[in-house]
Amino acid sequence: MLESKAEALMAGADPGEVVELRDATTLTYRATIASMSQDPADPAVEDPSYGGLASAHALARLFAALVGEVDGIRLVGPDVTAELARPHSSGTCEVMLTPLTWGLGVQLADSAVFPADAGLKNSFGLSGANGVFTFADPERELAFGYVPNMGSAVMGSMDGRIRRLVEAVFRSVDRIL
């Protein structure tokens, strides 16, 4: 993994206009900078943004199993998938400080970090720390996972690398459907 903005921030780089990244008492700081602590034994550090480990393949398989069968296994039925992908809350995310709509633990397509205009209009998924991105589209029975080797340089919007990949996936799939 090449150093990203997140690692630079943790090392003391200027966070720019996001003043919450300078204040250790904010949720934004605790869920991002503090979660990158090099001391996993520190009980004061929350780890919501860097605690998960998965490959792009594993993320895509997980989300595929939410919308169809993977090796004969479907994690939840269509009714639960529909409920998962239904809006349950919306407003400004207290961590990312950007407007988001959430299903049950997943982001829904209507925000700068998970934009419908990238082809995601019927999808649900997660735009994670450092540019990780995964989604499922129940109508197309499509799942996607992306794990970069270099973190995103942007916060509060979809990384251009991800946008180009997602748009290419939808163009390709739509040609064959």
Side-chain angles (χ1 to χ4, degrees):
M1 180 80 168
L2 304 175
E3 185 174 290
S4 70
K5 185 172 183 175
E7 282 79 19
L9 288 170
M10 191 174 96
D14 182 359
E17 71 280 357
V18 186
V19 296
E20 290 80 3
L21 289 173
R22 298 176 193 195
D23 182 352
T25 66
T26 67
L27 183 58
T28 302
Y29 181 93
R30 292 191 330 264
T32 57
I33 306 298
S35 73
M36 293 182 276
S37 169
Q38 298 302 309
D39 182 5
D42 182 352
V45 175
E46 299 167 17
D47 194 11
S49 64
Y50 278 80
L53 295 173
S55 66
H57 182 165
L59 290 171
R61 285 176 57 85
L62 170 65
F63 275 75
L66 293 172
V67 297
E69 285 192 13
V70 176
D71 296 335
I73 297 170
R74 181 171 178 151
L75 294 177
V76 297
D79 291 344
V80 174
T81 298
E83 186 63 21
L84 183 120
R86 183 178 67 77
H88 285 268
S89 70
S90 63
T92 300
C93 174
E94 296 294 324
V95 173
M96 295 299 298
L97 305 173
T98 189
L100 288 175
T101 297
W102 288 89
L104 293 178
V106 293
Q107 295 168 344
L108 303 182
D110 76 339
S111 69
V113 296
F114 204 88
D117 68 0
L120 296 164
K121 63 181 177 275
N122 299 313
S123 302
F124 60 87
L126 293 167
S127 173
N130 260 350
V132 171
F133 195 86
T134 189
F135 72 85
D137 183 322
E139 289 182 12
R140 292 177 175 90
E141 292 187 332
L142 170 70
F144 174 93
Y146 173 75
V147 177
N149 68 347
M150 181 175 151
S152 179
V154 299
M155 292 178 69
S157 64
M158 182 182 231
D159 187 297
R161 299 171 297 175
I162 299 165
R163 179 179 275 277
R164 290 187 297 276
L165 283 170
V166 169
E167 289 173 344
V169 165
F170 280 110
R171 279 194 309 274
S172 298
V173 169
D174 289 345
R175 282 188 188 128
I176 61 172
L177 290 180

